[in-house]
Amino acid sequence: MPQLIVLPHVELCPEGAVIEAKPGETICDTLLANGVEIEHACEKSCACTTCHVIVREGFNSMEASTEEEDDLLDKAWGLEPQSRLSCQARINGEDLVIEIPKYTINMVKEGH
């Protein structure tokens, strides 16, 4: 079973995490199911960029992003060539190392 390795994030995952991942599930769903409360303001409908992640290792093992996802990613804070929307990026058979950017373009956060 592949692993999803989350690099430390000050607010969401200060110690980082190593999560057993199910192939076919999205990065976002895997994070949420394992207590990493990544933002997803559009409820995972590919309509915002709040769930933006950077895939540091394993990027080429995933299916290519769609044009719709690419258009949204152009608006993401801290965009990099290995950026993906975690609600759209599905885990395949390889381990992934991801970084959750420090900021999003979300102007309002629940609970803050």
Side-chain angles (χ1 to χ4, degrees):
M1 189 170 278
Q3 293 184 325
L4 180 61
I5 301 156
V6 184
L7 298 176
H9 181 281
V10 173
E11 293 178 14
L12 302 177
C13 192
E15 303 296 318
V18 177
I19 300 167
E20 293 294 321
K22 294 178 186 170
E25 284 194 356
T26 66
I27 292 172
C28 186
D29 285 340
T30 301
L31 291 171
L32 293 170
N34 288 277
V36 180
E37 295 297 321
I38 190 166
E39 287 187 62
H40 53 288
C42 71
E43 293 300 318
K44 304 180 269 184
S45 66
C46 195
C48 73
T49 63
T50 60
C51 71
H52 169 227
V53 296
I54 302 162
V55 182
R56 296 292 181 201
E57 293 179 26
F59 182 81
N60 291 328
S61 71
M62 296 183 300
E63 291 181 16
S65 55
T66 63
E67 188 174 328
E68 180 182 15
E69 181 182 352
D70 290 340
D71 288 345
L72 281 167
L73 279 168
D74 286 341
K75 301 172 188 170
W77 185 90
L79 181 67
E80 294 192 17
Q82 296 85 16
S83 288
R84 292 296 304 265
L85 297 180
S86 67
C87 70
Q88 300 301 300
R90 295 195 178 277
I91 298 164
N92 285 331
E94 284 188 34
D95 293 351
L96 298 178
V97 176
I98 64 159
E99 178 181 348
I100 302 169
K102 185 175 180 178
Y103 301 107
T104 71
I105 62 169
N106 197 8
M107 300 297 181
V108 179
K109 283 186 179 180
E110 299 281 332
H112 291 276

